[in-house]
């Protein structure tokens, strides 16, 4: 029996991350190889032509799972009936700008998008905020969409989580799929704390602690942490553009695990609404280790 299509909104869809993300969604990377999707793509009026070009490419790629594309600059049209919203659009921080300048611009963007989602999205819509500052933007969205349950709004720290897995895998020369249970605590910014104290690597079907295998606390407590914290800046320096491919991939991982569940014994990092766990003040959006089942996340205690 064929499944009904899921409507997935991507804001800022004509941008770099959007361009990397929409084909992944259309190919089934986000929701599974048997789940049809209808893509809703939103961008600002100056990007309308570019957005239409992305739509043309999606048609040309002939993705079997893609059952429709809505490409629009109208926020109400974009948000109508969506089951999942990936908020990639935001005002980018430019040279010489302080974080607070970016926040002021983003408040107005997130206010209008939050209101549209609240009024027009499908019931139980899941929202993932990717645009920086992600934790703050997620909180703004929560404030202006009070009827969306707080458990349905999250911020992306999976990119940092995946970066941490990648660093451990390279250091130990093991498959990245054999590394699990790193944790990103805090904010998706250079103040986050990547934690390997509970992380393990599967070595001939036995999970062994990362600390024991690396056997170099000096590296784990210093260089490893700063590499993960500063990775985004290192990529901008190398590419002259921000990390789009890895961010898009992490957004797919985040939603896939949220919707389809995490494997037994494995946890992932998500920026979620704090319930006071680990003495993090309730009501903040903060990255915790979580497990997911039946579309619900739970903080690992």
């Amino acid at each position: 029996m064929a499944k009904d299509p899921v409507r997935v909104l991507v804001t800022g869809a004509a941008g770099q991350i959007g361009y990397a993300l929409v084909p992944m969604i259309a190919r089934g990377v986000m929701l599974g190889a048997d789940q049809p999707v209808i893509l809703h793509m939103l961008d600002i009026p100056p990007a309308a032509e570019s957005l239409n070009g992305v739509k043309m490419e999606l048609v040309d790629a002939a993705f079997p799972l893609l059952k429709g594309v809505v490409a629009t600059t109208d926020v109400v049209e974009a948000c109508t009936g969506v089951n999942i919203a990936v908020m990639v659009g935001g005002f980018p921080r430019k040279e010489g700008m302080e974080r607070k300048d970016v926040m002021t611009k983003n408040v107005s963007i997130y206010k209008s998008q939050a209101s549209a989602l609240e009024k027009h999205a499908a019931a139980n819509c899941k929202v993932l905020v990717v645009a920086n500052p992600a934790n703050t933007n997620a909180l703004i969205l929560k404030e202006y969409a009070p009827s969306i349950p707080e458990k349905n709004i999250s911020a992306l720290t999976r990119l940092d989580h995946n970066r941490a897995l990648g660093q451990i895998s390279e250091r130990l020369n093991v498959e990245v799929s054999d590394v699990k249970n790193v944790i990103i605590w805090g904010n998706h910014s250079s103040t986050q704390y990547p934690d390997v104290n509970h992380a393990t690597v599967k070595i001939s079907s036995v999970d062994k602690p990362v600390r024991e295998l690396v056997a170099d606390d000096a590296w784990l407590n210093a260089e490893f942490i700063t590499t993960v914290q500063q990775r985004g800046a290192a990529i901008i320096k190398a590419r002259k553009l921000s990390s789009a491919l890895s961010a898009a991939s992490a957004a797919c991982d985040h939603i896939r695990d949220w919707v389809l569940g995490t494997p037994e014994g494995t946890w992932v990092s998500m920026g979620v609404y704090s319930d006071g766990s680990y003495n993090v003040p309730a009501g903040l959006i903060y990255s915790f280790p979580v497990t997911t089942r039946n579309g619900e996340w739970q903080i690992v205690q």
Side-chain angles (χ1 to χ4, degrees):
M1 177 93 177
K3 294 181 171 180
D4 290 333
V6 170
R7 290 181 181 270
V8 183
L9 166 66
V10 176
T11 70
Q16 273 224 89
I17 295 174
Y19 187 68
L21 178 58
V22 292
M24 293 183 186
I25 298 170
R27 202 175 270 290
V29 175
M30 180 179 275
L31 294 170
D34 61 344
Q35 178 58 66
V37 291
I38 296 171
L39 268 171
H40 287 227
M41 303 193 298
L42 174 70
D43 219 310
I44 52 175
E49 200 176 344
S50 177
L51 186 65
N52 194 43
V54 177
K55 180 179 178 175
M56 288 156 73
E57 284 206 75
L58 285 169
V59 170
D60 293 352
F63 294 110
L65 290 171
L66 187 59
K67 301 303 178 191
V69 181
V70 177
T72 183
T73 59
D74 179 304
V75 67
V76 170
E77 186 186 1
C79 292
T80 299
V82 297
N83 308 99
I84 290 165
V86 186
M87 316 302 281
V88 178
F91 192 84
R93 183 172 172 183
K94 294 180 178 164
E95 214 169 332
M97 285 178 82
E98 292 291 326
R99 220 165 243 272
K100 64 177 187 293
D101 305 326
V102 185
M103 283 185 194
T104 315
K105 299 261 189 207
N106 277 317
V107 169
S108 60
I109 295 172
Y110 274 79
K111 196 173 169 179
S112 79
Q113 292 179 356
S115 312
L117 281 171
E118 170 151 77
K119 292 192 186 85
H120 304 287
N124 213 25
C125 174
K126 288 180 161 52
V127 185
L128 166 61
V129 178
V130 176
N132 283 321
N135 298 46
T136 309
N137 287 342
L139 205 56
I140 294 167
L141 194 117
K142 165 83 195 79
E143 288 305 305
Y144 289 109
S147 74
I148 297 178
E150 58 215 24
K151 66 178 177 26
N152 282 15
I153 295 173
S154 62
L156 186 74
T157 55
R158 183 60 175 267
L159 177 52
D160 310 292
H161 180 98
N162 287 350
R163 284 168 172 166
L165 294 175
Q167 289 301 307
I168 297 299
S169 137
E170 283 210 310
R171 177 78 179 195
L172 292 172
N173 196 21
V174 294
E175 298 276 339
V176 74
S177 54
D178 289 335
V179 188
K180 67 176 188 183
N181 298 355
V182 296
I183 302 169
I184 302 296
W185 298 101
N187 199 356
H188 173 63
S189 75
S190 56
T191 59
Q192 62 171 266
Y193 189 78
D195 173 3
V196 296
N197 290 315
H198 304 272
T200 61
V201 177
K202 194 182 273 325
I203 306 275
S204 44
S205 71
V206 179
D207 288 336
K208 301 205 160 168
V210 161
R211 256 195 203 279
E212 195 180 290
L213 293 168
V214 170
D216 185 347
D217 281 351
W219 181 78
L220 283 171
N221 297 341
E223 192 187 327
F224 163 74
I225 290 172
T226 52
T227 299
V228 176
Q229 288 172 337
Q230 305 290 340
R231 188 69 162 185
I235 288 168
I236 290 175
K237 194 171 173 214
R239 277 190 83 222
K240 313 293 178 269
L241 293 163
S242 63
S243 41
L245 181 158
S246 51
S249 182
C252 286
D253 290 346
H254 177 112
I255 297 283
R256 187 188 62 240
D257 285 341
W258 191 2
V259 172
L260 302 177
T262 45
E264 194 60 45
T266 298
W267 59 67
V268 293
S269 303
M270 278 173 74
V272 296
Y273 203 72
S274 172
D275 59 1
S277 292
Y278 299 99
N279 297 322
V280 174
L284 281 180
I285 301 272
Y286 191 92
S287 181
F288 292 97
V290 302
T291 55
T292 58
R293 274 186 74 179
N294 305 326
E296 306 270 329
W297 54 263
Q298 195 140 24
I299 295 171
V300 177
Q301 299 296 336

